[in-house]
Amino acid sequence: MAPNRRQLLLGTAGAAVLAASAGAAPQAVAAPAGFPDYRYRRLALVKSKLRYNPTGELIFPTIRGTRDRIPGALAAYYLYYAPHDAPGGICLAYANTLDEEFTEYAGNPIITRSWPGEYTVSHVSSPHAMWNDDVKRMYLYFHGENTVTRLASSADGIHFSYEKEVLSTRLLPAGTTETSYARVFRHDLPSRNARYVMVFMLNNTTNRRDIGWGWSANARDWTFSQTPLVRHQDVGAVNVGGPHLLFRNNSVYVVYNTDIGSGGNILITEVGLDFSKRNHLGVFHDSLSGAPDNGRSAAPSFGTYQGREYMIYEAGDRLAGNIAIAQAI
């Protein structure tokens, strides 16, 4: 049986490929570093059913469990997502499992492009939610415009209070044009007196996107590296974005998507506990050539339900995408 696109890419990266026996279904190819392979299950949202769907495209999901965090939550899992194009708007959906269609929150959008007294922008998008155990609140990071990442917080995950700007192009080297699509994770960096790490998409006047990063003691006040964490040219891509940190093997990894012209897949790089490594491991998840990916999977978020691992991701072209659910196999 001829190897599929994922097998070819993994082989190029030096990963082992399991051969399918004659007459049998091909075996799943594990992702690098012992991570599972994920198989598409269903769409998380049916766009035609949504009350708030101003542009017909949905991006950048974040899945968060509510148990032991939010008393009286609408369901066991909250899914944050957004359209990108104007007017954008941060949205919420909820479900009791990670293998079912999510229910749209009736009050969407929960954050709009205008927050009186704070900002008025063309759009807000790319919501990343993190339950901050230090303060027992949901921290929600989002961009608007693409030059600024902002923070809001909430006790119930629905009604948010504005906090502050946390990232902007002025905090990065001259020529930086975008600092957006940020995600934040609890991770100790003792040498930097930090308890949290941020990863984000970084663009400059060359219009070639990289992965940037920063660190913080409190998830509010940040210091940012002046050099990228992952450079597009180091992994043979024109653009990389949608980063997410994963923790395994007593190490830290960043997964991120490439532009559709560079394969449209999710790649993985080991950065280590102190972020000093740059071990590019190749393809983490190979996008489906057909629906819903249509050659592009991006901006993954991860969750666990009844001991099974799930990846919730952005499927399809950025201006026509939807939110998809894949399960580890």
Side-chain angles (χ1 to χ4, degrees), residues 156-180:
D156 66 4
I158 299 174
H159 304 94
F160 283 84
S161 300
Y162 187 77
E163 296 285 347
K164 60 184 297 187
E165 292 184 13
V166 293
L167 169 63
S168 75
T169 53
R170 70 177 183 274
L171 301 176
L172 277 296
T176 300
T177 58
E178 294 178 66
T179 47
S180 53

Side-chain angles (χ1 to χ4, degrees), residues 23-298:
Q27 295 175 285
V29 180
F35 287 96
D37 193 21
Y38 291 90
R39 179 174 294 172
Y40 169 70
R41 296 281 294 175
R42 64 177 301 138
L43 293 175
L45 298 163
V46 177
K47 289 190 286 186
S48 62
K49 296 181 181 180
L50 298 178
R51 183 194 62 81
Y52 184 78
N53 183 20
T55 61
E57 40 91 25
L58 306 177
I59 70 166
F60 213 79
T62 299
I63 192 74
R64 285 293 173 261
T66 63
R67 183 179 178 182
D68 298 326
R69 294 172 172 172
I70 300 175
L74 298 172
Y77 296 94
Y78 281 0
L79 172 64
Y80 299 89
Y81 64 96
H84 181 270
D85 282 1
I90 308 305
C91 297
L92 172 68
Y94 53 91
N96 281 316
T97 79
L98 293 181
D99 205 4
E100 64 180 274
E101 182 182 332
F102 279 66
T103 298
E104 180 188 18
Y105 176 63
N108 281 338
I110 58 174
I111 295 175
T112 71
R113 63 179 174 175
S114 179
W115 202 312
E118 302 296 348
Y119 64 78
T120 297
V121 293
S122 70
H123 75 288
V124 290
S125 194
S126 72
H128 174 78
M130 178 197 72
W131 181 257
N132 188 332
D133 270 322
D134 292 340
V135 296
K136 307 301 180 187
R137 292 179 69 83
M138 191 76 81
Y139 272 25
L140 189 111
Y141 302 84
F142 60 99
H143 80 247
E145 310 290 352
N146 287 67
T147 56
V148 177
T149 294
R150 307 173 188 275
L151 170 64
S153 73
S154 170
D156 66 4
I158 299 174
H159 304 94
F160 283 84
S161 300
Y162 187 77
E163 296 285 347
K164 60 184 297 187
E165 292 184 13
V166 293
L167 169 63
S168 75
T169 53
R170 70 177 183 274
L171 301 176
L172 277 296
T176 300
T177 58
E178 294 178 66
T179 47
S180 53
Y181 300 95
R183 294 194 189 272
V184 173
F185 303 88
R186 175 74 178 84
H187 177 66
D188 289 330
L189 290 173
S191 65
R192 300 178 188 271
N193 296 315
R195 290 167 50 80
Y196 298 89
V197 173
M198 178 188 292
V199 287
F200 57 94
M201 188 195 74
L202 177 67
N203 195 12
N204 58 38
T205 53
T206 68
N207 202 30
R208 296 291 184 266
R209 292 164 178 84
D210 300 320
I211 305 302
W213 75 293
W215 52 91
S216 171
N218 59 12
R220 291 174 49 87
D221 305 299
W222 293 86
T223 301
F224 296 100
S225 172
Q226 300 300 290
T227 57
L229 182 67
V230 177
R231 301 184 303 174
H232 66 279
Q233 64 266 36
D234 291 342
V235 294
V238 175
N239 294 293
V240 293
H244 192 293
L245 293 185
L246 294 175
F247 304 87
R248 215 177 188 95
N249 310 319
N250 195 35
S251 192
V252 180
Y253 303 79
V254 57
V255 294
Y256 49 92
N257 57 270
T258 67
D259 60 285
I260 196 166
S262 301
N265 297 316
I266 298 173
L267 307 186
I268 181 169
T269 294
E270 183 181 11
V271 296
L273 292 175
D274 62 357
F275 282 61
S276 64
K277 291 184 179 180
R278 298 295 184 271
N279 186 13
H280 304 302
L281 298 173
V283 175
F284 176 84
H285 179 73
D286 184 11
S287 61
L288 299 170
S289 57
D293 298 5
N294 297 316
R296 179 180 179 271
S297 54

